[in-house]
Amino acid sequence: MTAVAAARRYALLNALLWLPAGLYLVPLVLLMLDRGLTVSTIAVVGVAYGLTIAVLELPTGGLADVLGRRPVLIASAVAGAAGLLLLGLADTVALFLASAVLRGAARALSTGPLEAWYVDTVHAERGRETDLTAGLARGEVAASLALGAGTLIGGLLPLVLGRVGPLPALAVPVLMAAGVEVLRAVLTTSLPEPPHARPALGVVLRGVPATVVTGLRMAGRDRALTRLMLAAGGAGVALGTIELLTPAWLAGLSTGPRAAATYAVVAAAGFGADAIGGMLAAGAVRRFASHARAATAGWTVSAVALAGLAGCAMLSGTVALVLAGIAYCVLFIGLGAAFPAQAHLLHERVEPGERATMLSVQSLLMQAVGAVAIPVIGWQATRHGIEAGYTISAVVLLASAGLFLRLRDGSRPAVPAPVG
């Protein structure tokens, strides 16, 4: 497969990977409430989902490096379809917990293999000197648009449908998401992958831990990789803060059935802004003549936008809401423009046999940093107001932008024509 064709396939599969998450984002909690679960029980289901991801993140990344990208991606789609089908039909706590475990396994399995497949394909045809920014940005744009469209559908469709036979309308977007996962599994079966030996099960089981250990050692030994991982953790804090505090900001705007629709529109606007940022990513690298400087600029813009949200939280009225909406979108534009440049810096420092593992290490670090920081930010927001939480997150993100300073592209002084 050519690099251009790989970029198109990567964008398509990335959209199908994230569309289900958008479809069930809004109905998830509301559906469990409708089935009789309490808020505390729903929190336990959420913990089961998060723990499953944390436990499987690194092993599944290593599995993709040892066994291959395609089988792991197919397994993630199958697990995702099963988990979402169970979520749409569940009526007991045990079934919701089983759904959470399956969805968590699907998320862990999907972290890294698709991006690793795209990078390997481009490197195989054009060499490691090729600029990956445009192709990675194309995938991010596709994912953001899919998330935005899915969030709007998942939030607005239940208001239109009412009940659908024996099912509540909230279950319809969830079952649609399961169908998308089935489609992703089918399309992934034709994903071309460079030939590799089919190891026996024992070899696979022995190879995965070794690959994981190698990835962890690399992340700790290579200072540039360590900086990139920590910067990703700072971005994870910013995104977690938005997910935590934005619903509280919206709580005063609408209540009852319209609350889900309001959240869907705002979340979709953020995903759309992220897509715009992705469209600007390759141009930012050319403008700054450096992936590191482009990432620094994007992180800094987003940190300033978070500070702007803190200022808006201290105001009131329509003007404050409009300004907050602008700051919210600017935040995602900055991150959307910066993430592809940050990803390029990571990939040029990693060998193919460790690529999916390193992406899993990065994902796990983002979650771990967020798990420590977000409760503190939430506590401060409760004591001192939402603006305090936004301010702390802005400081963390600005500090993580400094991690890109003095980082250099690992190969060339000039930026060649982009792929994709």
Side-chain angles (χ1 to χ4, degrees):
M1 178 175 285
T2 66
V4 174
R8 288 196 296 265
R9 183 71 67 90
Y10 173 61
L12 172 62
L13 291 177
N14 219 28
L16 293 177
L17 174 63
W18 288 104
L19 178 58
L23 285 169
Y24 80 84
L25 174 67
V26 176
L28 177 61
V29 173
L30 299 177
L31 179 62
M32 287 189 278
L33 288 171
D34 184 73
R35 297 284 169 84
L37 272 65
T38 64
V39 173
S40 59
T41 303
I42 293 172
V44 172
V45 174
V47 169
Y49 174 74
L51 284 177
T52 302
I53 296 174
V55 170
L56 296 180
E57 189 77 76
L58 292 179
T60 54
L63 187 66
D65 283 331
V66 172
L67 191 59
R69 321 304 192 197
R70 183 172 58 205
V72 174
L73 285 170
I74 293 173
S76 76
V78 171
L84 289 168
L85 181 62
L86 196 56
L87 177 63
L89 302 177
D91 56 3
T92 66
V93 175
L95 291 178
F96 279 115
L97 285 171
S99 167
V101 171
L102 285 169
R103 288 184 290 111
R107 172 68 182 274
L109 286 164
S110 67
T111 302
L114 182 58
E115 185 174 322
W117 169 84
Y118 168 70
V119 174
D120 290 344
T121 302
V122 173
H123 281 174
E125 186 195 9
R126 299 192 176 181
R128 292 177 63 93
E129 301 296 308
T130 302
D131 185 12
L132 300 167
T133 307
L136 293 172
R138 186 173 183 174
E140 181 176 339
V141 169
S144 298
L145 292 176
L147 279 166
T151 302
L152 284 175
I153 294 170
L156 300 178
L157 192 61
L159 290 179
V160 176
L161 291 179
R163 292 191 68 86
V164 181
L167 294 173
L170 290 167
V172 174
V174 176
L175 297 177
M176 288 174 60
V180 173
E181 290 283 31
V182 172
L183 176 61
R184 180 166 74 90
V186 172
L187 293 179
T188 303
T189 58
S190 63
L191 194 69
E193 191 170 14
H196 61 275
R198 298 291 180 181
L201 179 61
V203 176
V204 171
L205 294 177
R206 290 192 299 271
V208 169
T211 305
V212 169
V213 171
T214 300
L216 290 172
R217 286 177 177 172
M218 276 193 63
R221 185 173 61 246
D222 187 319
R223 291 186 178 181
L225 280 177
T226 302
R227 287 184 172 214
L228 292 169
M229 296 290 175
L230 292 175
V237 171
L239 293 173
T241 300
I242 289 295
E243 292 176 2
L244 176 67
L245 300 184
T246 302
W249 166 54
L250 294 173
L253 299 180
S254 58
T255 56
R258 295 186 180 275
T262 302
Y263 179 65
V265 171
V266 171
F271 293 134
D274 188 76
I276 292 172
M279 295 174 188
L280 299 174
V285 171
R286 289 192 293 270
R287 170 67 178 81
F288 291 101
S290 163
H291 293 84
R293 286 195 290 270
T296 302
W299 250 248
T300 302
V301 166
S302 297
V304 172
L306 267 174
L309 280 173
C312 292
M314 293 186 287
L315 304 176
S316 60
T318 303
V319 173
L321 294 177
V322 171
L323 292 175
I326 294 173
Y328 183 83
C329 290
V330 170
L331 165 70
F332 281 97
I333 289 174
L335 290 178
F339 272 131
Q342 185 264 355
H344 175 92
L345 290 168
L346 184 148
H347 286 301
E348 67 182 1
R349 289 167 168 81
V350 176
E351 297 300 323
E354 302 155 345
R355 199 176 309 282
T357 299
M358 292 306 300
L359 291 171
S360 291
V361 172
Q362 176 178 269
S363 176
L364 183 60
L365 182 61
M366 289 179 70
Q367 295 178 53
V369 173
V372 174
I374 298 305
V376 175
I377 289 174
W379 175 59
Q380 289 297 315
T382 301
R383 293 188 62 192
H384 304 292
I386 289 177
E387 60 272 17
Y390 282 134
T391 300
I392 295 171
S393 182
V395 171
V396 172
L397 189 59
L398 187 60
S400 67
L403 294 169
F404 293 105
L405 298 177
R406 293 186 294 177
L407 276 181
R408 296 181 179 179
D409 292 4
S411 52
R412 59 208 174 279
V415 180
V419 176

